Amino acid sequence: MAERLKREVKETAHLRRGERAVHDRVSPPKPRDPTTPNENDRMEPPRPQRGADCTLISKDARESISFGRSDTVLLMFYLEHVLPFLFPFYRPSALQGGRAWVLEMMIGSPVVRQATLCQSSYFFALAQGLANCDVLWETVLTQTRSAFGVLRHALQVIDGSGVAEHIHGAVRIIASIMQVQRFEIAISSFNNCQAHLNAALALFIQLLEIPGVVELGESVSRFNTIIGLLGPTAWVLPSHCIQVPSAEQAAFRFTSTLLILDDIIASTVLQKQPRLYEHHRSLLGNIDNTEPPVNLEAAMGCQNWALLQIGEISTLDAWKQQCKRDGSLDVMELVRRASAIKDLLVARLTQLETEPAAVREKNTRTLDAFMADFTQQSETLANLSPVVTRIWAHAALVYLFVVVSGWQPASSDVRYHVGQIIELLTHRISPPALLRTMVWPFCVAGCLAEPAQEDHLREMVETLKPPSVFGTVRKALEIMENVWRKRDSEDIASRDLATCFRSQGDLVLLV
């Protein structure tokens, strides 16, 4: 039945058409003739519709989407089990609303709810040990078709009136697309990865370029303005002394993290500059010693700087490939650019390896008495962040070496960094299931591993049960096995990591 579900997802062409409509036809409004008076010239950026006022689904469609007891069970199963499994490092503070924004969006937004239900139904079926139950799989298929239908309709509304009229709705659509993306990846269906990524990126870019926002210049200013427009924040006490982000504000921060990660990983496969590259420094960097608006560490355990440099390396690779096509590659310039990236990576990596881990201050708040287990788990995962970041940094250095020097698995530098990745994943990451959050560096190391390391890498994957919920890890092993079979092939001189990643045919997002 799992294969049938994959076929269902693959054959959902109507969703892909809807996504292409957003990517191809929705564009920022045309500039107004400056000689034409406009009463809004001196107004603030447009205040979008919010909550129930932001109507992306018709009344008939909303009424046709029932919300029964089984849905409640599935939504709570998602919140309590699926979300922590998919994003174990994402543990927002309860005093900032925790994951309440997810529940609010699932209840209030049919788009988000249907995208969540299809995912939750799948994992619930597996948890019940009913992977071969036809009736249950029919329910999963129905949820999947419903999710695609609701998402398609919402995309058509955006296509018709523009993102500026539906800022809250656009955020919900991006969140839903990322949900569907993660669901398809969970069942090892990568056919739609490119279409989903294109649609989500198009909406995100259009949000940063709506009138009244694009004029602010820096991406960080635009991002923070969108956050403001997605408010107001929710007051949780009558005295108004405590406030938490609105559901859409929290969703925008979280999905922006996933989208930037997916864009960077996709760029390493496509050998193109990340689509959001021009926003990286503003959104991920520490500018004027201020915290960046997008925090990858809070969602995936890896500090921003490591992913920033992977984006720089993929940009360098794209430049190199273009120069080779033009017959104008300057190797000295390639080395110069690569040296700057390497120096930063080595410096930050050395700092992580030599400085003692920061001791997090113990809290003695009343809240800790209520959440002792949750707090302990959060602190354990937070303490893993330096290790996770080291793994990504070592993989970035391997990636950089291949871009500059070609396929040299016997190089002492490559062997050192590959060995470090395997060592850290084996002995410093616990539980082993966390490997699914570091599939890209795992695959980078595996592709350049020595023959003696192959069995150990296979064992790391085989111990993860059940296989059906570790789709990306097993896809990474398929890629690695394909490389190992061709160790002595004639094309080794032209091999690179992008070629390895593309060996499966589709855009394989190892996230």
Side-chain angles (χ1 to χ4, degrees), residues 366-483:
T366 304
L367 178 66
D368 293 335
F370 305 143
M371 304 180 62
D373 290 341
F374 179 85
T375 302
Q376 183 177 3
Q377 292 173 10
S378 297
E379 289 177 350
T380 300
L381 289 168
N383 291 333
L384 278 178
S385 175
V387 180
V388 173
T389 305
R390 286 167 60 188
I391 290 169
W392 283 89
H394 281 296
L397 285 164
V398 174
Y399 177 34
L400 179 62
F401 188 94
V402 174
V403 167
V404 176
S405 303
W407 199 259
Q408 305 289 336
S411 160
S412 58
D413 283 342
V414 170
R415 287 188 173 181
Y416 170 74
H417 293 296
V418 167
Q420 286 294 298
I421 294 169
I422 296 174
E423 171 73 15
L424 292 170
L425 286 172
T426 303
H427 300 293
R428 299 291 300 278
I429 296 298
S430 180
L434 289 176
L435 175 62
R436 67 167 304 282
T437 67
M438 291 164 268
V439 182
W440 188 86
F442 173 67
C443 191
V444 168
C447 287
L448 287 135
E450 299 179 66
Q453 297 169 316
E454 292 179 10
D455 285 342
H456 178 65
L457 292 168
R458 291 190 186 99
E459 184 181 353
M460 291 175 67
V461 176
E462 294 302 326
T463 56
L464 300 177
K465 305 290 184 182
S468 49
V469 299
F470 292 97
T472 50
V473 181
R474 293 190 169 269
K475 178 61 72 172
L477 182 59
E478 288 180 23
I479 293 171
M480 290 149 55
E481 294 274 12
N482 186 60
V483 174

Side-chain angles (χ1 to χ4, degrees), residues 194 197 201 259-277 280 307-318 321 399 403 440 497-498 501-502 507-509:
Q194 187 70 72
L197 183 59
L201 286 170
L259 190 56
I260 289 173
L261 170 65
D262 288 9
D263 183 39
I264 291 174
I265 298 303
S267 72
T268 67
V269 181
L270 302 173
Q271 293 184 299
K272 295 180 179 179
Q273 184 181 79
R275 296 265 300 278
L276 298 178
Y277 178 76
H280 281 184
L307 268 296
L308 262 174
Q309 296 311 306
I310 293 175
E312 293 291 345
I313 298 168
S314 67
T315 299
L316 179 65
D317 191 20
Q321 299 305 321
Y399 177 34
V403 167
W440 188 86
L497 284 167
F501 295 148
R502 291 198 299 265
L507 170 59
V508 177
L509 281 179

Side-chain angles (χ1 to χ4, degrees), residues 71 94 104 107 124 147 165 178 216 243 251-252 254 263 289 301 310 336 348 370 377 419 425 436-437 477 485 507-508:
D71 293 337
E104 180 180 338
I107 293 174
F124 191 79
E165 297 297 320
M178 301 312 291
L216 296 173
Q243 56 181 325
F252 188 55
F254 180 65
D263 183 39
N289 294 320
I310 293 175
R336 187 191 68 79
R348 297 299 294 268
F370 305 143
Q377 292 173 10
L425 286 172
R436 67 167 304 282
T437 67
L477 182 59
R485 284 193 298 270
L507 170 59
V508 177

